[in-house]
Amino acid sequence: MHIDPPDVLIVGAGASGLLAATRAAERKRRVLLLEKNARPGAKILLAGGGRCNLTHDTDACGIAAAFGPPGRFLRAALAALGPDNLRDLLRAEGVQTLADASGNVFPASQRASDVLDALIRRLRRAGVTPACGEPVTSLARGAAGGFRAATARRTHTASRVLIATGGLSYPGCGTTGDGYRWAEAFGHTVVPPRPALVPVVTDAPWARGLQGIVVKDACVRVVDAATPRAAPPAGCRGAILFTHLGLSGPAVLDASRALGGRRAPATPALELDLLPDIPRAVLEAAIRDTAATSGRRQPSSLLPAAIPRRLRDALVAQAGVPADRRAAQLARGDRSRLVDAVKALRVPVRSTLGFAKAEVTAGGVALDEVDPRTMESRLVPGLFLAGEVLDLDGPIGGYNLQAAFSTGWLAGSHV
């Protein structure tokens, strides 16, 4: 029996590949979707701790703005499939979505598998059956034009190809950087990949000794440990968690995006504001007044009760104030250092936990080499790129998954 060759090869059945294959097939393109894993969507199942934080409760402009200047690249993709469009797509497949107080959007069932099942239903209805368990071993130009993808079983050819293989985060999902190697072989520039949205490791024993302590609202930024403290600009805000290795939590994961890049400080540290809603002058006055009226109190009791007790004791030690010194004995410099410890606590950074624990990959194929209106390579006609393989990384909260869905959908509209 004669089987027509595909019009387009899509390599990778993650968030971007699934949406691209669906969109292309609904446009009557013959699609072959190749996936190295035994099942598509492995990383979707891990997103949001297994609940799938699929987007954020904002509009397309809000998603683009969260990425900073690179967000301009996403405008056409978000116009094609914005947050509301994505939620409507899932609703049409029977999956209701809800936003939490922070704006994170999850399936109402809190099950990532419901999102993946919905996407696969629509994919199959469009006429595509993923070829799973078929890793691509090489991807190159075909001898007679077009592209050739070789697997252990066979060789496929098509006039167009989409690389949607993801980055390097969570390598257990099969994200081993294949797409970067192929893109470079086609002449593309790959900004060195690095882990992002990843917990941080410190060698500071005092910080590691605070394992298990949670601060529900803090501000975190990456600084150079060699620079003096100054009035900090706004950093990444949210909960932080002290771990046996260092720090984690949403605010720390967001701040980690500034580590390892070309502009990262030589001696990085995390600077924490543990009471971001209380101005420094107000905290300083409160400590001074309490010390004046309750002179027998110990230094840790001068700090707000909103800070956990063990952490308050550690802050006193980091301020260099003797724990048994009475409040009335504190000099102005002592009180100032206590305020520094609360408003600009520095935790030296040794490293991050790397790609194995990173939620996304920063770096990837340079954006100026890809047409944002179509996701087609500006260097190689017929080559498309979408999702995490691109040099795009946004904050925690569903932004990165939305970018993958949107760029995949746009690519599928043009392959």
Side-chain angles (χ1 to χ4, degrees):
M1 181 176 67
H2 175 73
I3 299 176
D4 291 331
D7 299 310
V8 57
L9 294 170
I10 297 178
V11 187
S16 56
L18 287 171
L19 267 289
T22 298
R23 177 63 176 148
E26 289 176 347
R27 294 175 49 237
K28 308 305 181 186
R29 303 287 282 165
R30 294 189 302 274
V31 176
L32 177 60
L33 176 59
L34 297 167
E35 168 58 43
K36 66 164 59 174
N37 293 320
R39 190 183 180 205
K43 199 170 176 185
I44 292 174
L45 294 176
L46 293 177
R51 297 185 296 148
C52 193
N53 185 185
L54 56 102
T55 188
H56 206 80
D57 189 23
T58 184
D59 58 11
C61 291
I63 298 290
F67 283 80
R72 292 191 295 269
F73 179 87
L74 285 172
R75 288 175 181 170
L78 290 164
L81 186 84
D84 289 341
N85 305 126
L86 177 62
R87 296 176 76 174
D88 287 344
L89 184 155
L90 291 169
R91 189 179 300 113
E93 297 298 325
V95 177
Q96 300 298 320
T97 57
L98 295 173
D100 66 13
S102 299
N104 304 304
V105 176
F106 299 91
S109 66
Q110 302 290 291
R111 292 193 301 264
S113 58
D114 289 348
V115 173
L116 180 57
D117 290 346
L119 297 179
I120 292 175
R121 279 197 301 274
R122 180 154 175 175
L123 176 75
R124 292 184 183 279
R125 200 165 60 245
V128 179
T129 299
C132 294
E134 193 166 349
V136 173
T137 56
S138 69
L139 182 64
R141 296 273 203 139
F147 300 89
R148 182 184 71 256
T151 73
R153 301 178 191 173
R154 48 192 168 167
T155 297
H156 307 279
T157 60
S159 60
R160 298 193 168 199
V161 66
L162 167 64
I163 297 175
T165 49
L168 284 167
S169 58
Y170 291 141
C173 293
T175 47
T176 52
D178 304 322
Y180 301 135
R181 293 190 291 273
W182 297 329
E184 285 183 317
F186 284 120
H188 275 282
T189 303
V190 174
V191 177
R194 64 185 191 277
L197 302 187
V198 61
V200 167
V201 177
T202 182
D203 286 328
W206 66 265
R208 295 168 72 145
L210 295 171
Q211 177 184 356
I213 286 180
V214 175
V215 178
K216 293 183 179 179
D217 184 25
C219 197
V220 182
R221 68 181 186 127
V222 174
V223 298
D224 193 314
T227 62
R229 290 181 175 89
C236 302
R237 188 162 173 176
I240 63 172
L241 167 67
F242 288 86
T243 73
H244 68 293
L245 293 175
L247 287 164
S248 189
V252 172
L253 298 187
D254 271 342
S256 73
R257 296 169 61 207
L259 295 168
R262 285 172 294 180
R263 298 182 180 179
T267 53
L270 295 183
E271 188 166 275
L272 316 180
D273 182 348
L274 301 173
L275 295 172
D277 284 333
I278 300 180
R280 181 187 176 92
V282 172
L283 179 61
E284 208 161 11
I287 291 174
R288 182 191 64 232
D289 294 346
T290 303
T293 57
S294 305
R296 296 181 61 82
R297 295 173 65 168
Q298 292 183 326
S300 64
S301 69
L302 298 177
L303 302 178
I307 300 173
R309 176 58 189 267
R310 272 201 301 143
L311 179 53
R312 277 184 274 152
D313 291 341
L315 295 177
V316 171
Q318 287 305 297
V321 176
D324 58 354
R325 183 172 291 176
R326 299 299 181 185
Q329 298 173 315
L330 295 180
R332 180 177 180 179
D334 295 328
R335 297 194 300 269
S336 180
R337 290 196 302 277
L338 283 175
V339 173
D340 282 340
V342 173
K343 299 293 290 181
L345 178 66
R346 288 203 173 172
V347 182
V349 173
R350 185 183 82 196
S351 64
T352 71
L353 287 182
F355 288 114
K357 298 295 182 181
E359 294 192 14
V360 299
T361 305
V365 177
L367 298 183
D368 61 358
E369 297 175 358
V370 180
D371 188 339
R373 300 166 298 180
T374 61
M375 295 296 123
E376 186 173 15
S377 165
R378 295 185 188 275
L379 309 182
V380 182
L383 172 65
F384 292 75
L385 305 108
E388 200 175 343
V389 75
L390 297 168
D391 181 22
L392 276 171
D393 66 285
I396 199 167
Y399 296 98
N400 293 285
L401 205 47
Q402 175 70 61
F405 285 132
S406 296
T407 54
W409 186 264
L410 183 61
S413 300
H414 293 278
V415 291

